[in-house]
Amino acid sequence: MPDNMSKPLIRDRGDGRGLGHFEASLTEPGCPLVGILGTGDFARSLARRLIASGYQVVVGSRSPKRSVALFPEEAEVVTQLEAASQADLLFVALFPEHYSTLVELKQALAGKTLVDVSNALRVCRDGPSNASQLADLFPESAVVKGFNTISAWTLQSGPRDGSRQVFLCSNSGPAKASISQLCRRMGFIPVDMGVLSASLELENMPLHLFPSWRLPVHLSLALFVLFYLYNFIRDVLHPYLTAGKSAFYKMPIELVNVTLPCAALILLTLVYVPGLCAAFLQLWWGTKYRRFPNCLDKWLIQRKQLGLCSFLCAVLHMIYSLCLPMRKSARYKLLNTAFKQVKEGVEDSWVDEEVWRMELYVSVGIMAIGLLSLLAVTSLPSVANTVNWREFSFIQSSLGHCALFMCTLHTCLYGWTRAFDPGQYRFYLPPTFLLVAPFSVSVLLLRSLLLLPCVALRLGKIRRGWEKSRHIRFTLPDDDCRNGLEDVSHV
């Protein structure tokens, strides 16, 4: 019986090819030899990940002697022709403009699986994709598009620190199945995207810059600019034009702090408006089997982004409010007020009404920011996956409306009696809280209508398949087994 312990696991790098083959005892029986064509950053990270997953790796390079030091010792660095001849599965880790240099390997690559990991430089709508071009160059090979949405850092550090999904598409079912098995062994989750024609969509995915955030971010910026200019006219321009007082020092902090809660409340209200529209449309139509308008569909999809933008504005408002006493202007105002009271002989400036208003205002604001934080945390996929649907809907719908109520109450406490003060209507423009509070109050009132038993029961029947245009006998279950129908107003 031969002594296997006397055999070296890895042959010496001193032979003519740069590095010898793996010994059979190094890897599991039946483990395929995986080839990589290319020596860039992605190729090096991919080689490390494949070796850590127990695969034999052979790297094809145009200059093996120069590239051998870039890869782990367990990887075999040879010429591209040798790598194409040895491996049945090869990753093409080259830029698309270099695909033509592989034409001389067409005979060696015939009948083998090629994984295209490239991406385009810009979004391409018409095609052809890089994977399609590779398939045209090697018609006798099975081309699989995949791993282009995984960064080199994710490959090197492992799937625990990055996205676990790997999107795959190919015209060859067996080739796609073998790559799916390789993905699972590497710790990733393969996602079948269909045939190779879907590769254009996969190559465009890493090039999109927050496509679902575009409209919410633009809307947030528009609301902020609109309310900022409105407050600038009332609080800065009005005293300058009417009394010659310069209040331009308010622009960096005070005006921003007054503007942020207005944008936050409008954005938070917009999160719950499409759900109300959907509910009332279903009540009006008497069926759930009718498509919503496209604008309402897009609005429903982007509620998460609107809510997170609202949360950002609320957090910034809290930070700005905490920084208000730190301003030099606030210290001067405090000293001037104290000096004026001493000069006038005022011993006690305590006003119960103002004290209570500020205490309630701050307390409700803290509760509102706490609820908004809970909504923001549960919107994260890693947290949302740990709760069931009823728990998630309770937090996002029931507690979400509580957060909207607290934010509205916070705004009303800020207004207090200022709505009835003629001095607040500068240039005949009402304060901003009078512009935003009625919107959120209306949403809360409409939401309360959906909680009425007659409306909630009808909406529950509709969402369970009842249609008013059809004569179908429909009976709700008993109260003790209503399957969560006690809260049917959320969408």
Side-chain angles (χ1 to χ4, degrees):
M1 182 175 180
D3 186 7
N4 292 331
M5 297 300 295
S6 63
K7 295 182 179 180
L9 293 179
I10 302 175
R11 293 178 60 184
D12 186 26
R13 291 182 180 239
D15 59 356
R17 295 191 308 174
L19 185 67
H21 294 284
F22 280 124
E23 295 294 336
S25 61
L26 179 62
T27 57
E28 299 178 4
C31 183
L33 178 66
V34 179
I36 301 175
L37 298 178
T39 57
D41 295 336
F42 190 87
R44 294 197 294 269
S45 299
L46 181 61
R48 291 180 181 274
R49 193 65 200 162
L50 287 170
I51 292 172
S53 302
Y55 285 96
Q56 302 181 62
V57 177
V58 57
V59 181
S61 173
R62 290 174 294 182
S63 303
K65 292 183 179 180
R66 187 180 63 180
S67 304
V68 65
L70 301 176
F71 288 85
E73 294 183 356
E74 296 84 355
E76 182 181 0
V77 183
V78 296
T79 63
Q80 290 182 344
L81 180 59
E82 290 175 314
S85 302
Q86 295 178 27
D88 293 329
L89 189 158
L90 294 105
F91 285 85
V92 183
L94 300 175
F95 290 107
E97 55 267 26
H98 298 159
Y99 285 171
S100 59
T101 62
L102 302 177
V103 175
E104 60 185 16
L105 307 177
K106 182 177 294 187
Q107 184 177 359
L109 295 176
K112 299 187 177 181
T113 300
L114 304 181
V115 183
D116 178 48
V117 300
S118 65
N119 282 311
L121 296 177
R122 60 184 63 89
V123 176
C124 180
R125 301 295 183 186
D126 303 324
S129 63
N130 299 336
S132 299
Q133 297 180 39
L134 185 64
D136 293 337
L137 288 175
F138 302 96
E140 298 181 3
S141 303
V143 176
V144 179
K145 184 68 184 184
F147 285 89
N148 64 303
T149 58
I150 301 295
S151 65
W153 169 256
T154 302
L155 283 172
Q156 198 169 37
S157 60
R160 62 185 180 278
D161 294 329
S163 175
R164 294 177 57 87
Q165 291 184 334
V166 175
F167 300 98
L168 304 174
C169 66
S170 175
N171 292 333
S172 174
K176 188 162 49 177
S178 64
I179 301 302
S180 299
Q181 182 180 2
L182 181 141
C183 289
R184 295 187 184 95
R185 184 164 178 173
M186 294 173 65
F188 295 99
I189 301 174
V191 179
D192 191 347
M193 299 295 290
V195 296
L196 197 61
S197 58
S199 59
L200 185 62
E201 179 185 356
L202 296 187
E203 293 175 3
N204 289 333
M205 287 175 62
L207 302 177
H208 290 299
L209 184 63
F210 303 114
S212 59
W213 286 86
R214 192 168 301 163
L215 181 59
V217 170
H218 288 171
L219 179 60
S220 302
L221 291 176
L223 288 173
F224 179 83
V225 172
L226 179 64
F227 283 113
Y228 186 87
L229 294 177
Y230 187 88
N231 288 318
F232 175 81
I233 294 173
R234 293 185 68 260
D235 298 338
V236 177
L237 197 58
H238 178 269
Y240 182 76
L241 295 178
T242 57
K245 295 181 179 179
S246 178
F248 291 94
Y249 68 91
K250 296 182 178 181
M251 294 176 61
I253 296 182
E254 193 166 333
L255 282 185
V256 174
N257 187 48
V258 176
T259 302
L260 285 172
C262 300
L265 186 57
I266 291 293
L267 291 171
L268 184 61
T269 306
L270 291 176
V271 173
Y272 297 100
V273 170
L276 291 175
C277 295
F280 281 108
L281 281 177
Q282 289 179 341
L283 288 171
W284 176 263
W285 293 334
T287 179
K288 70 172 183 177
Y289 300 107
R290 186 172 174 180
R291 285 290 305 274
F292 294 131
N294 290 332
C295 58
L296 183 57
D297 275 335
K298 295 179 180 178
W299 196 351
L300 288 167
I301 294 173
Q302 293 179 336
R303 288 180 294 177
K304 172 183 174 180
Q305 288 77 12
L306 290 171
L308 291 177
C309 289
S310 173
F311 175 68
L312 174 62
C313 292
V315 170
L316 291 177
H317 170 58
M318 178 186 67
I319 296 174
Y320 271 92
S321 299
L322 294 176
C323 294
L324 288 178
M326 300 170 57
R327 299 175 303 154
K328 204 71 174 179
S329 58
R331 298 179 184 179
Y332 284 139
K333 286 183 178 181
L334 182 61
L335 291 175
N336 291 337
T337 302
F339 178 77
K340 183 178 179 181
Q341 290 179 355
V342 171
K343 185 177 180 180
E344 295 177 356
V346 178
E347 296 182 358
D348 189 5
S349 59
W350 184 280
V351 180
D352 283 335
E353 181 181 357
E354 289 297 322
V355 170
W356 273 102
R357 182 187 71 85
M358 184 56 64
E359 295 293 321
L360 294 174
Y361 170 76
V362 173
S363 178
V364 173
I366 293 173
M367 289 187 284
I369 200 66
L371 291 173
L372 289 176
S373 301
L374 180 61
L375 296 177
V377 170
T378 52
S379 66
L380 299 175
S382 58
V383 179
N385 292 336
T386 62
V387 297
N388 59 38
W389 171 245
R390 187 174 183 183
E391 294 168 345
F392 180 80
S393 62
F394 171 76
I395 295 174
Q396 295 294 329
S397 180
S398 301
L399 295 186
H401 282 90
C402 291
L404 180 61
F405 173 77
M406 287 297 176
C407 292
T408 304
L409 182 59
H410 180 70
T411 304
C412 294
L413 288 172
Y414 174 80
W416 201 255
T417 57
R418 296 176 183 176
F420 309 102
D421 183 8
Q424 295 292 327
Y425 294 81
R426 300 157 190 167
F427 285 140
Y428 301 101
L429 298 177
T432 50
F433 64 85
L434 287 179
L435 300 179
V436 298
F439 188 34
S440 59
V441 170
S442 301
V443 171
L444 291 172
L445 291 177
L446 291 175
R447 164 68 181 181
S448 62
L449 290 178
L450 294 178
L451 297 178
L452 296 177
C454 56
V455 180
L457 288 176
R458 184 178 179 85
L459 185 60
K461 290 171 62 176
I462 291 173
R463 290 180 176 173
R464 290 175 64 87
W466 178 84
E467 297 181 83
K468 70 176 182 180
S469 60
R470 297 186 179 185
H471 300 286
I472 302 175
R473 185 173 181 179
F474 187 91
T475 305
L476 282 175
D478 296 333
D479 292 339
D480 57 347
C481 57
R482 291 181 59 185
N483 296 325
L485 284 180
E486 63 273 6
D487 184 14
V488 297
S489 57
H490 67 273
V491 176

